[in-house]
Amino acid sequence: MNTAPVVAVLGYPIHHSKSPKMHGYWLDQMGVSGYYVPLEIHPDNFEAALKNLPKLGFSGANVTIPHKERALEIADSVSERARRIGAANTLYFDVDGKIHADNTDGYGFITNLKNGAPEWSAKAGPALVLGAGGAARAILDALITGESPKIYLTNRTRERARDLANEFGDTVEVLDWIDKNTVLSDVKTLINTTSLGMNGEGDLGLDFSQFTSGMAVTDIVYTPLETDLLKYARKRGCTCVDGLGMLIYQGVPGFSKWFGVAPKVTDELRELLLS
Ligand code: ATR
């Protein structure tokens, strides 16, 4: 007899993760039999823990900070996008216990933008990406895959932006953090991937008077849902998309594959995740 799928999310720490709430909601709402459990695993124990999950009967897992890069190294196979991004967030275990690694963060980013701004296309014009951490990697890959003609990348620590640009090729041009306003009139998509704006703290130093109504603006910060960036961009007539959808949509491919049903993204889920 088949048993209900069991899936874990591995992180250190893990208490902040919204994934158990989200997948739990989908399981309940769709009446699917299955389990989704948070596991706090110290980095020293990560390899052993991950390798044992298939043997324990798990169907797959999400991995979050600080395990995303290590998961890629341990996996038996890796999707092209996960390899390009250099990190995994979604793992599938096959019947032989082999671990397949994928990264759905870029998918979540693009799907969120397309839902919030149906007219949006990466091809429309240059993008400006603020920040060069883990989230920026997936977003750069998604923009390049979407055929963005040009990506300006800027980060407080310029070397991190330069290293990322070197990996992603000629489409990406690095700007000094202080120079980010110089390209605004040319930009069609602006993405904040830094933590600035979280809980209303920090200032990105943007000149909103140069924001144009043809710009799509999105923020990976979703606490608050309307960050100052989105608030002032909206006042300038930009199309604004909040970051909560990126978190939600990155979870869709995993849930679909582990549990065999495509989950629904509802307002009720958004409210639950913000509560
Ligand atoms: P993640 O993997 O979630 O993207 P991260 O790797 O810690 O997280 O990246 C956080 C991003 O926010 C980085 O781009 C960081 O800039 P640095 O590389 O210079 O650290 C950016 N960031 C955090 N605090 C910042 C601040 N006060 N001003 C400007 N950028 C900031």
Side-chain angles (χ1 to χ4, degrees), residues 65 130-136 155-157 160 177 193-196 220:
I65 294 165
L130 310 174
N155 193 50
R156 174 180 61 178
T157 312
R160 275 185 104 185
W177 187 241
T193 78
T194 77
S195 48
L196 287 171
I220 67 159

